[in-house]
Amino acid sequence: MDFNAISENASRLGARLQETFSEHTRDLNLARASSSAYLDNPEEKVKNIKKQLDSNSDREKLEAMKRLIALISKGRNVSEFFAHVVKNVASHNLEVRKLVYIYLLRYAEQEPDLALLSINTFQKDLSDPSPLIRAMALRVLSGIRVPMIGSIVVLAIKKCAADISPYVRKAAALAIPKCYSLDPSHQPELITIISTLLRDRSPLSAGSVAVAFSEVCPTRLDLLHPHYRRLCRTLIDVDEWGQVDLLNLLTRYARTMLPRHTVSADSGAEEIDSDLKLVLTSAEPLFQSQNPSVVLAVARVFYYLGPPSEVSKVVCPLLRLLPTAPEVERVVLAHLGTVLIGIQQALSPFYNRLLVRADDVRQVKKDKVRLLCAVISTDNYQPLLREFITYADDTDDELVADAIRAIGYCARLIPDSTQQCLTALMSFIQSKYDVVVAHAVLVLKSLVQIRLQSPVSASISASTSTSPLSIIARLAWRIDEIHHPKARACVLWLVGQYAAVETQENGASLHAGIEGVADWAPDVLRKSVKSFAAEAPIVKLQILTLAAKLLVLCPTDRTLELLSRYAFALARYDLDFDVRDRARMLSSLLSGVNAAVVHDGESYEDPGGVTLRREQVRMILFEGKLGVSEPSDFGMSGSAVISRIVGLT
């Protein structure tokens, strides 16, 4: 019996508790349900907002303001309700006032005249017990773009700068740039306020003060003298975006006011100023920040202020940011390219983090290839060379061009890779894509010039498949398959420049054919002259030069005489004036070699003046054409050095 009574009482108690709990949570459930309902605003409810704002019920005003804020969040322009909203700026309901201030922050600049009607209320709210209301009142007051209230805004900022709440002091710091842009004549008073805020020991407002300082008085670095060390120590406690602004300010101060690192004459060790070391030590823990902007700001600190031995510390933190987002990756690669000179050795082991992905945008691909070229060494050139060869099959023509030029750079930088690079470049010549063939020819041209100038070139057998002369011969035989104008011009130049190399090196021609001329050279001239009219101007210029060179090498050969005569005759009436001028210049130059050829068999009268002998003409056409100019990297940034060396710009 007692057991049944206890069980019944327990059931009643449980039911009563359930009812009480449901009653107390009913409002909460309604609030949750209604919060999503505000985002769905039919036109009937939107038309009713004005009536609700003019109502005497705080509940209706609150509902109307919630609907307005919801509409603002959806991107809708609700400035038509400004006059009705501003009437409620002095509402006794705190929730209504908060929403009114949020609305006014959005539209105060668009409706400055109506906002002026409530300026007394804003000033009164600067003394409100709630720090949130005080800060929002200052934000709205500084957002009214009317120069005549500049003095009022300055007084409001001065009052809030001495507020007991760090949140309000932060709002005061953010209001300073607005006031300065509205009326620059208030700069002296604003500088005084900034000096006051610099003494603030709260880390909450430090970043905002840095923003105000940079906007109002960026050259008054003397104001930072008493606060520099404290700001460095406070750096770790500042909010993320405040850290970015504060780091930029401290970097500028240190670069201007502090001595740079020096090397001791006795021990050879780096000596760094204690204050300079303080900012580096304070900033280094921020490399672990989750905010990419903070990490990049710290990287700039170490790049501009750190000694050479510490610049490499930026490598791992910057590489950590690469997978974050495509936009972040683009900026990080630009930073790595800027600091490239000091971090090449530290970056080299992480080359696999810089490999090109299929979904990379074009500029990211270009930056990655530049960085990969910068980190090539004897230890990693083989995998990187395989990567470049793979990139040559990409659908992006710019990446293909960059990859082929990178292969050429690898061949010049790492002598052990020359054979492998030449093999890859020769295989590209057989490609069915013009862009691949064109850039392979351009790179081969520079490599052939370099190898022919090297001390070991004399010992390289002409029969070797990758020897310079064999490469030229293979290019000459494939001239019909090369369609890119610049590539065809390069092949023609190589054929003309090195057509007599075999005879010069061995004392006699290695092949049967025209005496003193390689056997593949006249055939290249024959094919080129045949298509002269359809060639691009840059190709026509090289055809004329080739004809002149071959004629100088063997002026007595009838075949070369006829081919040269035909080429000069076509050039005489060409539409391009550069081609006509080149033909006229070469004709005058060759007048002492074979007058009948250059004047198309017509009767020739000596015009007088100096006539050059064959040896002199040969010197003009051939000598001094072998040099390959390598760009100087002195005084250039890392990205510019790689761009110039690899030839990507």
Side-chain angles (χ1 to χ4, degrees):
M1 192 67 179
D2 293 338
F3 177 77
N4 292 334
I6 294 174
S7 178
E8 184 178 358
N9 291 334
S11 299
R12 290 178 179 177
L13 179 61
R16 186 173 297 176
L17 290 174
Q18 182 66 30
E19 292 176 358
T20 304
F21 180 78
S22 300
E23 181 67 21
H24 283 81
T25 58
R26 182 173 62 85
D27 295 337
L28 180 61
N29 292 332
L30 288 174
R32 289 180 177 176
S34 61
S35 61
S36 60
Y38 287 118
L39 296 175
D40 184 17
N41 288 296
E43 290 301 322
E44 293 78 10
K45 293 185 177 180
V46 173
K47 293 178 180 179
N48 197 36
I49 289 178
K50 292 183 180 180
K51 182 179 178 181
Q52 289 178 314
L53 290 173
D54 294 336
S55 173
N56 294 326
S57 173
D58 289 341
R59 181 177 179 180
E60 291 189 1
K61 292 180 180 180
L62 183 60
E63 183 178 355
M65 290 305 305
K66 287 181 178 180
R67 292 194 181 279
L68 286 177
I69 301 303
L71 290 170
I72 292 174
S73 67
K74 294 173 68 175
R76 181 166 174 176
N77 184 7
V78 291
S79 59
E80 57 183 298
F81 300 100
F82 191 91
H84 299 272
V85 172
V86 79
K87 296 177 183 178
N88 298 290
V89 72
S91 174
H92 297 289
N93 189 303
L94 185 60
E95 295 299 323
V96 173
R97 290 173 64 188
K98 289 180 181 179
L99 296 178
V100 168
Y101 273 116
I102 293 175
Y103 179 93
L104 293 177
L105 289 173
R106 175 67 177 80
Y107 292 107
E109 291 189 14
Q110 299 181 17
E111 300 287 346
D113 295 334
L114 290 176
L116 283 175
L117 298 176
S118 302
I119 192 170
N120 292 332
T121 304
F122 300 148
Q123 290 179 287
K124 186 185 300 182
D125 285 344
L126 294 176
S127 302
D128 192 273
S130 172
L132 180 62
I133 295 296
R134 297 199 299 271
M136 295 181 73
L138 180 61
R139 290 176 63 187
V140 176
L141 192 60
S142 60
I144 302 175
R145 310 297 295 175
V146 178
M148 62 181 296
I149 66 168
S151 300
I152 298 176
V153 176
V154 170
L155 292 176
I157 294 174
K158 186 176 182 180
K159 180 178 181 179
C160 292
D163 197 277
I164 60 174
S165 172
Y167 180 77
V168 179
R169 298 197 296 271
K170 178 180 180 179
L174 293 175
I176 291 176
K178 296 181 181 180
C179 181
Y180 178 72
S181 63
L182 184 65
D183 189 356
S185 63
H186 295 291
Q187 186 185 33
E189 298 96 319
L190 296 177
I191 292 178
T192 303
I193 298 174
I194 290 175
S195 301
T196 302
L197 290 172
L198 283 173
R199 294 193 290 269
D200 187 4
R201 296 187 174 274
S202 173
L204 184 62
S205 60
S208 302
V209 176
V211 173
F213 184 94
S214 300
E215 290 289 335
V216 178
C217 51
T219 60
R220 290 292 307 275
L221 295 176
D222 56 291
L223 299 176
L224 298 177
H225 290 332
H227 316 290
Y228 170 77
R229 295 176 182 174
R230 178 177 54 80
L231 291 175
C232 290
R233 298 188 185 97
T234 309
L235 189 60
I236 194 67
D237 298 320
V238 180
D239 63 281
E240 291 181 346
W241 295 108
Q243 288 172 343
V244 175
D245 297 318
L246 190 55
L247 280 170
N248 293 336
L249 179 59
L250 292 175
T251 301
R252 206 154 51 81
Y253 177 86
R255 294 183 68 186
T256 306
M257 298 295 181
L258 300 180
R260 299 302 299 271
H261 58 274
T262 57
V263 179
S264 176
D266 299 332
S267 61
E270 293 177 335
E271 295 181 353
I272 185 170
D273 184 77
S274 59
D275 288 332
L276 196 60
K277 187 175 182 179
L278 175 62
V279 67
L280 294 173
T281 306
S282 303
E284 187 172 358
L286 300 182
F287 272 134
Q288 309 303 321
S289 175
Q290 297 299 315
N291 190 326
S293 296
V294 177
V295 179
L296 293 174
V298 179
R300 287 193 293 270
V301 171
F302 275 79
Y303 175 69
Y304 288 116
L305 304 180
S309 60
E310 296 193 11
V311 176
S312 59
K313 290 183 178 180
V314 308
V315 173
C316 290
L318 291 180
L319 291 177
R320 177 175 62 87
L321 300 179
L322 287 178
T324 306
E327 298 80 6
V328 175
E329 182 181 37
R330 174 70 185 90
V331 177
V332 170
L333 291 174
H335 277 68
L336 286 173
T338 301
V339 302
L340 195 53
I341 294 299
I343 64 171
Q344 285 175 296
Q345 292 184 351
L347 188 61
S348 182
F350 304 100
Y351 70 89
N352 56 346
R353 306 281 292 275
L354 301 171
L355 301 182
V356 177
R357 300 191 304 269
D359 58 345
D360 286 335
V361 297
R362 176 169 294 177
Q363 188 59 44
V364 169
K365 292 179 181 179
K366 183 178 289 290
D367 290 342
K368 284 186 175 181
V369 172
R370 289 176 177 175
L371 291 173
L372 290 175
C373 290
V375 300
I376 289 179
S377 63
T378 55
D379 298 328
N380 60 18
Y381 78 88
Q382 291 185 348
L384 287 179
L385 190 56
R386 288 194 295 268
E387 283 290 324
F388 295 146
I389 295 174
T390 303
Y391 299 159
D393 294 330
D394 197 87
T395 57
D396 188 345
D397 290 347
E398 289 194 14
L399 177 61
V400 171
D402 293 347
I404 295 176
R405 285 194 283 260
I407 294 174
Y409 173 69
C410 183
R412 295 196 297 269
L413 186 67
I414 310 294
D416 295 340
S417 68
T418 303
Q419 188 75 18
Q420 189 175 354
C421 293
L422 289 176
T423 303
L425 292 170
M426 292 303 298
S427 67
F428 292 153
I429 298 177
Q430 303 175 8
S431 174
K432 60 181 180 180
Y433 300 107
D434 288 346
V435 63
V436 177
V437 177
H439 288 94
V441 170
L442 296 177
V443 174
L444 280 170
K445 172 181 176 288
S446 63
L447 291 180
V448 165
Q449 290 180 267
I450 293 173
R451 294 194 71 189
L452 285 174
Q453 293 180 79
S454 64
V456 299
S457 62
S459 62
I460 299 177
S461 174
S463 61
T464 306
S465 61
T466 56
S467 67
L469 298 181
S470 297
I471 292 173
I472 298 174
R474 292 180 64 180
L475 291 174
W477 294 125
R478 300 180 66 89
I479 186 67
D480 291 336
E481 302 174 16
I482 301 174
H483 304 290
H484 194 279
K486 195 171 184 179
R488 287 180 64 84
C490 282
V491 173
L492 292 172
W493 184 89
L494 286 173
V495 170
Q497 186 67 32
Y498 300 104
V501 170
E502 297 181 22
T503 303
Q504 292 173 355
E505 289 183 354
N506 300 284
S509 178
L510 297 178
H511 305 283
I514 300 175
E515 181 182 357
V517 180
D519 58 348
W520 31 262
D523 198 51
V524 172
L525 179 60
R526 178 186 63 81
K527 294 178 180 179
S528 303
V529 171
K530 185 178 180 180
S531 60
F532 186 90
E535 299 287 359
I538 187 176
V539 180
K540 292 179 181 179
L541 295 176
Q542 292 303 324
I543 293 175
L544 294 175
T545 304
L546 173 61
K549 288 181 177 179
L550 295 183
L551 189 63
V552 168
L553 292 177
C554 188
T556 60
D557 185 81
R558 179 62 178 171
T559 303
L560 292 179
E561 178 183 338
L562 294 175
L563 288 174
S564 301
R565 178 187 300 176
Y566 184 53
F568 282 103
L570 292 174
R572 180 182 299 180
Y573 304 103
D574 194 85
L575 296 178
D576 190 278
F577 64 86
D578 284 334
V579 177
R580 299 195 301 269
D581 289 348
R582 176 68 62 88
R584 187 180 299 110
M585 184 271 292
L586 292 176
S587 298
S588 301
L589 190 65
L590 297 172
S591 60
V593 177
N594 195 326
V597 171
V598 298
H599 291 277
D600 203 12
E602 300 174 359
S603 59
Y604 170 69
E605 296 182 1
D606 187 0
V610 178
T611 301
L612 299 181
R613 300 189 306 274
R614 176 188 173 192
E615 293 77 11
Q616 294 173 316
V617 176
R618 182 168 181 168
M619 180 178 295
I620 293 173
L621 291 177
F622 287 92
E623 298 297 327
K625 307 293 193 261
L626 300 178
V628 181
S629 59
E630 293 293 339
S632 173
D633 58 357
F634 180 76
M636 298 171 63
S637 64
S639 58
V641 171
I642 299 304
S643 301
R644 290 284 300 276
I645 291 178
V646 185
L648 299 183
T649 56

